[in-house]
Amino acid sequence: MVVIIPHDAVFQKSLSNLKEVESRGGRIIVVTDAPSPDLEDVAWEVLAVPRTNELLTPFVLTVPLQLLAYHVAVYRGTDVDQPRNLAKSVTVE
């Protein structure tokens, strides 16, 4: 399970949900801007990103997810340079 947990108003509720998943044997990868010992106790891996402006946080948190998706695709042997069903079009003015 991959989870994004920014340090916001629902951080503690999200942490509580992660503890529930961990207690049932789930492997958790956390992407956060607020690494803490509590997160490290429940997560299999914690990917920390730097804290930034609240409005920019979603952009910063998605970069590790894009890299994770890329590396998983390469590991599976998927040709990441030739995505399936990609519609190509050219606009001439």
Side-chain angles (χ1 to χ4, degrees), residues 1-92:
M1 168 184 224
V2 179
V3 181
I4 301 172
I5 302 182
H7 191 65
D8 58 7
V10 294
F11 180 82
Q12 290 301 324
K13 288 183 180 182
S14 300
L15 182 60
S16 175
N17 289 338
L18 286 182
K19 289 180 181 179
E20 183 70 27
V21 170
E22 192 263 340
S23 71
R24 295 178 185 207
R27 279 190 164 178
I28 304 166
I29 298 173
V30 174
V31 181
T32 185
D33 63 348
S36 69
D38 290 335
L39 278 177
E40 293 184 16
D41 288 343
V42 297
W44 183 58
E45 189 70 42
V46 176
L47 303 173
V49 298
R51 280 196 178 175
T52 186
N53 183 306
E54 180 180 315
L55 297 174
L56 297 175
T57 299
F59 297 106
V60 175
L61 288 172
T62 58
V63 172
L65 299 177
Q66 291 174 334
L67 290 170
L68 178 64
Y70 170 79
H71 288 290
V72 168
V74 169
Y75 179 78
R76 293 183 61 205
T78 305
D79 186 1
V80 294
D81 292 324
Q82 295 294 322
R84 295 181 298 163
N85 302 324
L86 179 64
K88 295 180 182 181
S89 63
V90 177
T91 304
V92 178

